[in-house]
Coordinates of all heavy atoms in Angstrom, one line a residue:
M741 N -121.0 68.1 -233.2 CA -121.6 68.1 -231.9 C -120.5 68.6 -230.8 O -120.9 69.4 -229.9 CB -122.0 66.7 -231.6 CG -122.6 66.5 -230.2 SD -124.4 66.8 -230.3 CE -124.9 66.3 -228.8
E742 N -119.3 68.1 -231.0 CA -118.3 68.5 -230.0 C -118.0 70.0 -230.1 O -117.7 70.6 -229.0 CB -117.0 67.8 -230.3 CG -115.9 67.9 -229.3 CD -114.7 67.1 -229.6 OE1 -114.8 65.9 -230.0 OE2 -113.6 67.6 -229.5
E743 N -118.1 70.6 -231.2 CA -117.9 72.1 -231.4 C -118.9 72.8 -230.6 O -118.7 73.8 -230.0 CB -117.9 72.5 -232.9 CG -116.7 72.1 -233.6 CD -116.7 72.6 -235.1 OE1 -117.3 73.7 -235.3 OE2 -116.3 71.9 -235.9
Q744 N -120.2 72.3 -230.6 CA -121.3 73.0 -229.9 C -121.0 72.9 -228.4 O -121.2 73.9 -227.7 CB -122.6 72.4 -230.2 CG -123.1 72.7 -231.6 CD -124.4 72.0 -231.9 OE1 -124.8 71.0 -231.3 NE2 -125.1 72.4 -233.0
Q745 N -120.5 71.8 -227.9 CA -120.2 71.7 -226.5 C -119.1 72.6 -226.1 O -119.1 73.2 -225.0 CB -119.8 70.2 -226.1 CG -121.0 69.3 -226.2 CD -120.6 67.9 -226.0 OE1 -119.4 67.5 -226.1 NE2 -121.6 67.0 -225.7
N746 N -118.1 72.8 -226.9 CA -116.9 73.7 -226.6 C -117.4 75.1 -226.6 O -116.9 75.9 -225.8 CB -115.8 73.5 -227.7 CG -115.0 72.2 -227.4 OD1 -115.1 71.6 -226.4 ND2 -114.3 71.8 -228.5
Q747 N -118.3 75.5 -227.5 CA -118.8 76.8 -227.5 C -119.6 77.1 -226.3 O -119.6 78.2 -225.7 CB -119.7 77.0 -228.8 CG -118.8 77.1 -230.0 CD -119.7 77.2 -231.3 OE1 -120.9 77.1 -231.2 NE2 -119.1 77.4 -232.4
A748 N -120.4 76.2 -225.8 CA -121.2 76.4 -224.6 C -120.3 76.6 -223.4 O -120.6 77.3 -222.4 CB -122.2 75.2 -224.4
A749 N -119.1 75.9 -223.3 CA -118.3 75.9 -222.2 C -117.3 77.2 -222.3 O -116.6 77.4 -221.3 CB -117.4 74.7 -222.1
A750 N -117.3 77.8 -223.4 CA -116.4 79.0 -223.5 C -116.8 80.1 -222.5 O -118.0 80.3 -222.3 CB -116.4 79.6 -224.9
P751 N -115.9 80.8 -221.9 CA -116.2 81.9 -221.0 C -116.9 83.0 -221.7 O -116.5 83.3 -222.9 CB -114.9 82.3 -220.4 CG -113.9 81.9 -221.4 CD -114.4 80.7 -222.1
K752 N -117.8 83.7 -221.0 CA -118.4 84.8 -221.6 C -117.5 86.0 -221.6 O -116.6 86.1 -220.8 CB -119.8 85.2 -221.0 CG -119.6 85.9 -219.7 CD -121.0 86.3 -219.2 CE -120.8 87.4 -218.1 NZ -122.0 87.9 -217.6
P753 N -117.5 86.8 -222.7 CA -116.6 88.0 -222.7 C -116.9 89.0 -221.6 O -118.1 89.1 -221.2 CB -117.0 88.6 -224.1 CG -118.2 88.0 -224.6 CD -118.4 86.8 -223.8
V754 N -115.9 89.6 -221.1 CA -116.0 90.6 -220.1 C -116.5 91.9 -220.7 O -116.0 92.4 -221.7 CB -114.6 90.8 -219.4 CG1 -114.7 91.9 -218.3 CG2 -114.1 89.5 -218.8
T755 N -117.6 92.4 -220.1 CA -118.2 93.6 -220.6 C -117.6 94.8 -219.8 O -117.0 94.7 -218.8 CB -119.7 93.6 -220.5 OG1 -120.0 93.5 -219.1 CG2 -120.3 92.4 -221.2
T756 N -117.9 96.0 -220.4 CA -117.5 97.2 -219.7 C -118.1 97.3 -218.4 O -117.5 97.8 -217.4 CB -117.8 98.5 -220.6 OG1 -117.2 98.3 -221.8 CG2 -117.4 99.7 -220.0
N757 N -119.4 96.9 -218.3 CA -120.1 97.0 -217.0 C -119.4 96.1 -216.0 O -119.3 96.5 -214.8 CB -121.6 96.6 -217.2 CG -122.4 96.9 -216.0 OD1 -122.2 97.9 -215.3 ND2 -123.5 96.1 -215.7
D758 N -119.0 94.9 -216.4 CA -118.3 94.0 -215.5 C -117.0 94.6 -215.0 O -116.7 94.6 -213.8 CB -118.0 92.6 -216.1 CG -119.2 91.8 -216.4 OD1 -120.3 92.0 -215.8 OD2 -119.1 90.9 -217.2
N759 N -116.3 95.2 -215.9 CA -115.0 96.0 -215.5 C -115.3 97.1 -214.5 O -114.5 97.2 -213.6 CB -114.3 96.5 -216.7 CG -113.7 95.4 -217.6 OD1 -113.5 94.3 -217.1 ND2 -113.5 95.8 -218.9
A760 N -116.4 97.8 -214.7 CA -116.7 98.9 -213.8 C -117.1 98.3 -212.4 O -116.7 98.9 -211.4 CB -117.9 99.7 -214.4
E761 N -117.8 97.2 -212.4 CA -118.1 96.6 -211.1 C -116.9 96.1 -210.4 O -116.8 96.3 -209.1 CB -119.1 95.5 -211.3 CG -120.5 95.9 -211.7 CD -121.4 94.7 -212.0 OE1 -121.1 93.6 -211.6 OE2 -122.5 95.0 -212.7
V762 N -116.0 95.5 -211.1 CA -114.7 95.0 -210.5 C -113.9 96.2 -209.9 O -113.4 96.1 -208.8 CB -113.9 94.2 -211.5 CG1 -112.5 93.9 -210.9 CG2 -114.7 92.9 -211.8
A763 N -113.8 97.2 -210.7 CA -113.1 98.4 -210.3 C -113.7 99.1 -209.1 O -113.0 99.4 -208.2 CB -113.0 99.4 -211.5
E764 N -115.0 99.1 -209.0 CA -115.7 99.7 -207.9 C -115.5 98.9 -206.6 O -115.3 99.4 -205.5 CB -117.2 99.8 -208.2 CG -118.0 100.4 -207.0 CD -117.7 101.8 -206.7 OE1 -117.0 102.5 -207.5 OE2 -118.1 102.3 -205.6
R765 N -115.6 97.6 -206.8 CA -115.3 96.7 -205.6 C -113.9 96.8 -205.1 O -113.7 96.9 -203.9 CB -115.6 95.2 -205.9 CG -117.1 94.9 -206.1 CD -117.3 93.4 -206.5 NE -116.7 92.5 -205.7 CZ -117.3 91.9 -204.6 NH1 -118.5 92.2 -204.3 NH2 -116.7 91.0 -203.9
K766 N -112.9 97.0 -206.0 CA -111.5 97.1 -205.7 C -111.4 98.4 -204.9 O -110.7 98.5 -203.9 CB -110.7 97.1 -206.9 CG -109.2 97.1 -206.6 CD -108.3 96.9 -207.8 CE -106.9 97.0 -207.5 NZ -106.1 96.8 -208.7
R767 N -112.0 99.5 -205.4 CA -111.8 100.8 -204.8 C -112.4 100.8 -203.4 O -111.8 101.3 -202.5 CB -112.6 101.9 -205.6 CG -112.4 103.3 -205.1 CD -113.4 104.2 -205.7 NE -114.8 103.9 -205.4 CZ -115.3 104.1 -204.2 NH1 -114.6 104.7 -203.2 NH2 -116.6 103.9 -203.9
K768 N -113.6 100.2 -203.2 CA -114.3 100.1 -201.9 C -113.4 99.3 -200.9 O -113.1 99.7 -199.8 CB -115.6 99.3 -202.0 CG -116.7 100.3 -202.6 CD -118.0 99.5 -202.6 CE -119.1 100.3 -203.2 NZ -120.4 99.6 -203.2
R769 N -112.8 98.2 -201.4 CA -111.9 97.3 -200.6 C -110.7 98.1 -200.2 O -110.3 98.1 -199.0 CB -111.5 96.1 -201.3 CG -110.8 95.1 -200.4 CD -110.4 93.8 -201.2 NE -109.2 94.2 -201.9 CZ -109.0 94.0 -203.2 NH1 -110.0 93.6 -203.9 NH2 -107.9 94.4 -203.8
Q770 N -110.1 98.9 -201.1 CA -108.9 99.6 -200.7 C -109.2 100.7 -199.7 O -108.4 100.9 -198.8 CB -108.3 100.3 -202.0 CG -107.6 99.2 -202.9 CD -107.1 99.8 -204.2 OE1 -107.6 100.8 -204.7 NE2 -106.1 99.2 -204.8
A771 N -110.3 101.4 -199.9 CA -110.7 102.4 -198.9 C -111.0 101.8 -197.5 O -110.5 102.4 -196.5 CB -112.0 103.1 -199.4
L772 N -111.6 100.7 -197.5 CA -111.8 100.0 -196.2 C -110.5 99.5 -195.6 O -110.4 99.6 -194.4 CB -112.8 98.9 -196.4 CG -114.3 99.2 -196.6 CD1 -115.1 98.0 -197.1 CD2 -114.9 99.9 -195.4
E773 N -109.6 99.0 -196.4 CA -108.3 98.6 -195.9 C -107.5 99.8 -195.3 O -106.9 99.6 -194.2 CB -107.5 97.9 -197.0 CG -108.0 96.5 -197.3 CD -107.3 95.9 -198.5 OE1 -106.5 96.6 -199.2 OE2 -107.5 94.7 -198.7
L774 N -107.6 100.9 -195.9 CA -106.9 102.1 -195.3 C -107.6 102.5 -194.1 O -106.9 102.9 -193.1 CB -107.0 103.3 -196.4 CG -106.1 103.2 -197.6 CD1 -106.4 104.3 -198.6 CD2 -104.6 103.2 -197.1
Q775 N -108.9 102.5 -193.9 CA -109.6 102.8 -192.7 C -109.2 101.8 -191.6 O -108.9 102.3 -190.5 CB -111.1 102.8 -192.9 CG -111.6 103.9 -193.7 CD -113.1 103.7 -194.0 OE1 -113.8 103.0 -193.3 NE2 -113.6 104.4 -195.0
R776 N -109.1 100.6 -192.0 CA -108.7 99.5 -191.0 C -107.3 99.8 -190.5 O -107.0 99.7 -189.3 CB -108.8 98.1 -191.7 CG -108.4 97.0 -190.7 CD -108.5 95.7 -191.5 NE -108.2 94.6 -190.6 CZ -107.0 94.2 -190.3 NH1 -105.9 94.7 -190.9 NH2 -106.8 93.2 -189.5
E777 N -106.3 100.1 -191.4 CA -105.0 100.3 -191.0 C -104.9 101.6 -190.1 O -104.1 101.6 -189.1 CB -104.1 100.5 -192.2 CG -103.8 99.3 -193.0 CD -103.1 98.2 -192.2 OE1 -102.2 98.5 -191.4 OE2 -103.6 97.0 -192.2
R778 N -105.7 102.6 -190.4 CA -105.6 103.9 -189.5 C -106.1 103.5 -188.1 O -105.5 103.9 -187.1 CB -106.5 104.9 -190.1 CG -106.4 106.3 -189.3 CD -107.5 107.3 -189.7 NE -108.9 106.8 -189.6 CZ -109.5 106.7 -188.4 NH1 -108.9 107.0 -187.3 NH2 -110.8 106.3 -188.4
I779 N -107.2 102.7 -188.0 CA -107.8 102.3 -186.7 C -106.7 101.5 -186.0 O -106.5 101.7 -184.8 CB -109.1 101.6 -186.9 CG1 -110.2 102.6 -187.3 CG2 -109.5 100.9 -185.6 CD1 -111.5 101.9 -187.7
L780 N -106.1 100.5 -186.6 CA -105.1 99.7 -186.0 C -103.9 100.5 -185.5 O -103.3 100.1 -184.5 CB -104.7 98.6 -186.9 CG -105.8 97.5 -187.2 CD1 -105.3 96.5 -188.2 CD2 -106.1 96.7 -185.9
S781 N -103.6 101.5 -186.2 CA -102.4 102.3 -185.8 C -102.7 103.4 -184.7 O -101.7 103.9 -184.1 CB -101.8 103.0 -187.0 OG -102.6 104.0 -187.5
E782 N -103.9 103.6 -184.5 CA -104.3 104.7 -183.5 C -104.1 104.2 -182.1 O -104.5 103.1 -181.7 CB -105.8 105.1 -183.7 CG -106.1 106.4 -183.0 CD -107.4 107.0 -183.5 OE1 -107.6 106.9 -184.7 OE2 -108.1 107.6 -182.6
R783 N -103.5 105.0 -181.3 CA -103.2 104.7 -179.8 C -104.1 105.7 -179.0 O -104.1 106.9 -179.2 CB -101.7 104.9 -179.5 CG -100.8 104.1 -180.4 CD -100.8 102.6 -179.9 NE -99.9 101.9 -180.7 CZ -100.2 100.9 -181.6 NH1 -101.5 100.7 -181.7 NH2 -99.3 100.3 -182.2
T784 N -104.7 105.2 -177.9 CA -105.4 106.0 -177.1 C -105.5 105.4 -175.7 O -105.5 104.2 -175.5 CB -106.9 106.2 -177.6 OG1 -107.5 107.1 -176.7 CG2 -107.6 105.0 -177.7
S785 N -105.6 106.2 -174.7 CA -105.7 105.7 -173.3 C -107.2 105.8 -172.8 O -107.5 105.3 -171.8 CB -104.8 106.5 -172.3 OG -105.1 107.9 -172.4
S786 N -108.0 106.5 -173.6 CA -109.4 106.6 -173.3 C -110.2 105.3 -173.6 O -110.2 104.8 -174.7 CB -110.0 107.7 -174.1 OG -111.5 107.7 -174.0
P787 N -110.8 104.8 -172.5 CA -111.6 103.5 -172.7 C -112.8 103.8 -173.6 O -113.1 102.9 -174.4 CB -112.1 103.1 -171.3 CG -111.7 104.3 -170.4 CD -110.8 105.2 -171.1
H788 N -113.4 104.9 -173.6 CA -114.5 105.2 -174.5 C -114.0 105.2 -176.0 O -114.6 104.7 -176.9 CB -115.1 106.5 -174.1 CG -115.7 106.5 -172.8 ND1 -116.9 105.8 -172.4 CD2 -115.4 107.2 -171.7 CE1 -117.1 105.9 -171.2 NE2 -116.3 106.8 -170.7
R789 N -112.9 105.9 -176.2 CA -112.3 106.0 -177.6 C -111.9 104.6 -178.1 O -112.1 104.2 -179.2 CB -111.2 106.9 -177.6 CG -110.5 107.1 -178.9 CD -111.4 107.9 -179.9 NE -110.7 108.0 -181.2 CZ -111.3 107.9 -182.4 NH1 -112.6 107.8 -182.4 NH2 -110.6 108.1 -183.4
R790 N -111.3 103.8 -177.2 CA -110.8 102.5 -177.5 C -112.1 101.6 -177.9 O -112.0 100.8 -178.8 CB -110.1 101.9 -176.4 CG -109.1 100.9 -176.8 CD -108.1 100.4 -175.7 NE -108.5 100.6 -174.3 CZ -108.0 101.4 -173.5 NH1 -107.1 102.3 -173.8 NH2 -108.4 101.5 -172.2
S791 N -113.2 101.7 -177.1 CA -114.4 101.0 -177.4 C -115.0 101.4 -178.8 O -115.4 100.5 -179.6 CB -115.4 101.3 -176.3 OG -116.6 100.6 -176.6
A792 N -114.9 102.7 -179.1 CA -115.5 103.2 -180.4 C -114.6 102.6 -181.5 O -115.1 102.2 -182.6 CB -115.5 104.7 -180.4
L793 N -113.3 102.6 -181.3 CA -112.4 102.1 -182.4 C -112.6 100.6 -182.6 O -112.6 100.1 -183.7 CB -110.9 102.3 -182.0 CG -110.5 103.8 -182.0 CD1 -109.1 103.9 -181.4 CD2 -110.5 104.3 -183.4
T794 N -112.8 99.8 -181.5 CA -113.1 98.4 -181.6 C -114.3 98.1 -182.4 O -114.4 97.2 -183.3 CB -113.2 97.8 -180.2 OG1 -112.0 98.0 -179.5 CG2 -113.5 96.3 -180.3
I795 N -115.4 98.9 -182.1 CA -116.7 98.8 -182.9 C -116.5 99.1 -184.3 O -116.9 98.4 -185.2 CB -117.8 99.6 -182.2 CG1 -118.1 99.0 -180.8 CG2 -119.0 99.7 -183.1 CD1 -119.0 99.9 -180.0
A796 N -115.8 100.2 -184.6 CA -115.5 100.6 -186.0 C -114.7 99.6 -186.7 O -115.0 99.3 -187.9 CB -114.8 102.0 -186.0
L797 N -113.7 99.0 -186.1 CA -112.9 98.0 -186.7 C -113.7 96.8 -187.1 O -113.6 96.2 -188.1 CB -111.7 97.6 -185.7 CG -110.8 96.6 -186.3 CD1 -110.1 97.1 -187.5 CD2 -109.7 96.2 -185.2
A798 N -114.6 96.3 -186.1 CA -115.4 95.2 -186.4 C -116.4 95.5 -187.6 O -116.6 94.6 -188.5 CB -116.3 94.9 -185.2
D799 N -116.9 96.7 -187.7 CA -117.7 97.1 -188.8 C -117.0 97.1 -190.1 O -117.5 96.5 -191.1 CB -118.3 98.5 -188.5 CG -119.3 98.9 -189.6 OD1 -120.3 98.2 -189.9 OD2 -119.1 100.0 -190.2
I800 N -115.8 97.6 -190.1 CA -115.0 97.6 -191.3 C -114.6 96.2 -191.8 O -114.7 95.8 -193.0 CB -113.7 98.5 -191.1 CG1 -114.1 99.9 -191.1 CG2 -112.7 98.2 -192.2 CD1 -113.0 100.8 -190.6
E801 N -114.2 95.4 -190.8 CA -113.9 94.0 -191.2 C -115.1 93.2 -191.7 O -114.9 92.4 -192.5 CB -113.2 93.3 -190.0 CG -111.8 93.9 -189.8 CD -111.0 93.2 -188.6 OE1 -111.6 92.5 -187.8 OE2 -109.8 93.4 -188.6
E802 N -116.3 93.5 -191.2 CA -117.5 92.9 -191.7 C -117.7 93.2 -193.1 O -118.0 92.4 -194.0 CB -118.7 93.2 -190.8 CG -120.0 92.6 -191.3 CD -121.2 93.0 -190.5 OE1 -121.0 93.4 -189.3 OE2 -122.3 92.9 -191.0
K803 N -117.6 94.5 -193.4 CA -117.8 95.0 -194.8 C -116.7 94.4 -195.7 O -117.0 94.1 -196.9 CB -117.7 96.6 -194.8 CG -118.9 97.2 -194.2 CD -118.8 98.7 -194.1 CE -120.0 99.4 -193.5 NZ -119.8 100.8 -193.3
L804 N -115.5 94.3 -195.3 CA -114.5 93.7 -196.0 C -114.7 92.2 -196.3 O -114.5 91.8 -197.5 CB -113.1 93.9 -195.3 CG -112.5 95.2 -195.4 CD1 -111.3 95.4 -194.4 CD2 -112.0 95.5 -196.8
S805 N -115.2 91.5 -195.4 CA -115.5 90.1 -195.6 C -116.7 89.9 -196.6 O -116.7 89.0 -197.4 CB -115.9 89.4 -194.3 OG -117.1 89.9 -193.8
E806 N -117.6 90.9 -196.6 CA -118.7 90.9 -197.6 C -118.1 91.1 -199.0 O -118.7 90.6 -200.0 CB -119.7 92.0 -197.3 CG -120.5 91.7 -196.1 CD -121.4 92.8 -195.7 OE1 -121.4 93.9 -196.4 OE2 -122.1 92.7 -194.6
L807 N -117.0 91.7 -199.2 CA -116.3 91.9 -200.4 C -115.3 90.8 -200.8 O -114.6 90.9 -201.8 CB -115.6 93.3 -200.4 CG -116.4 94.6 -200.4 CD1 -115.6 95.8 -200.2 CD2 -117.3 94.7 -201.6
G808 N -115.3 89.8 -199.9 CA -114.4 88.7 -200.1 C -113.0 88.9 -199.7 O -112.1 88.2 -200.1
W809 N -112.8 89.8 -198.7 CA -111.4 90.0 -198.2 C -111.1 89.1 -197.1 O -112.0 88.7 -196.3 CB -111.5 91.5 -197.8 CG -110.2 92.0 -197.1 CD1 -109.1 92.5 -197.8 CD2 -109.8 92.0 -195.7 NE1 -108.1 92.9 -196.9 CE2 -108.5 92.6 -195.7 CE3 -110.4 91.6 -194.6 CZ2 -107.9 92.8 -194.5 CZ3 -109.8 91.8 -193.4 CH2 -108.5 92.4 -193.3
S810 N -109.9 88.8 -196.9 CA -109.5 88.0 -195.8 C -108.2 88.7 -195.3 O -107.5 89.3 -196.0 CB -109.2 86.5 -196.1 OG -108.2 86.4 -197.1
I811 N -107.9 88.4 -194.0 CA -106.7 89.1 -193.3 C -105.4 88.4 -194.0 O -105.3 87.2 -194.1 CB -106.7 88.8 -191.8 CG1 -107.9 89.6 -191.2 CG2 -105.4 89.3 -191.2 CD1 -108.1 89.3 -189.8
H812 N -104.5 89.3 -194.4 CA -103.2 88.9 -195.0 C -102.2 89.1 -193.9 O -101.8 90.2 -193.6 CB -102.9 89.7 -196.2 CG -104.0 89.6 -197.3 ND1 -104.2 88.5 -198.0 CD2 -104.9 90.6 -197.6 CE1 -105.2 88.8 -198.8 NE2 -105.6 90.0 -198.6
L813 N -101.6 88.0 -193.3 CA -100.6 88.1 -192.3 C -99.2 88.1 -192.9 O -98.9 87.5 -193.9 CB -100.8 87.0 -191.3 CG -102.1 87.1 -190.5 CD1 -102.2 85.9 -189.5 CD2 -102.2 88.4 -189.7

């Protein structure tokens, strides 16, 4: 009986599909992080451009949070 309980609690093996999903999420997160860094490094005196960058940054950070990302200080 104990062996059956141990087998039920054993983690399921990682499949190729799972690996592909993890790799895709990692690739998306890295791309979004690069976009975020580019926006943060951009300097402008134009209020319109600054507003557009703020909106873009908020959008990127929302997408990152959906992927489980948090700000690393």
Side-chain angles (χ1 to χ4, degrees):
M741 179 90 171
E742 190 175 316
E743 287 181 36
Q744 289 176 342
Q745 290 175 345
N746 287 342
Q747 288 176 351
K752 82 174 194 179
V754 177
T755 64
T756 304
N757 194 32
D758 290 342
N759 288 339
E761 289 176 18
V762 168
E764 179 64 16
R765 286 176 58 90
K766 184 176 181 179
R767 186 196 61 75
K768 285 181 181 180
R769 189 184 77 239
Q770 288 175 336
L772 289 167
E773 286 175 349
L774 286 173
Q775 290 175 15
R776 180 180 182 276
E777 289 302 316
R778 185 192 58 77
I779 288 171
L780 289 173
S781 68
E782 194 162 325
R783 305 283 183 247
T784 182
S785 59
S786 167
H788 297 291
R789 179 72 179 144
R790 207 169 25 250
S791 176
L793 290 171
T794 301
I795 291 168
L797 183 60
D799 182 56
I800 288 169
E801 289 182 345
E802 180 181 336
K803 289 176 183 175
L804 283 167
S805 69
E806 291 170 2
L807 293 172
W809 179 87
S810 62
I811 295 175
H812 305 288
L813 299 176

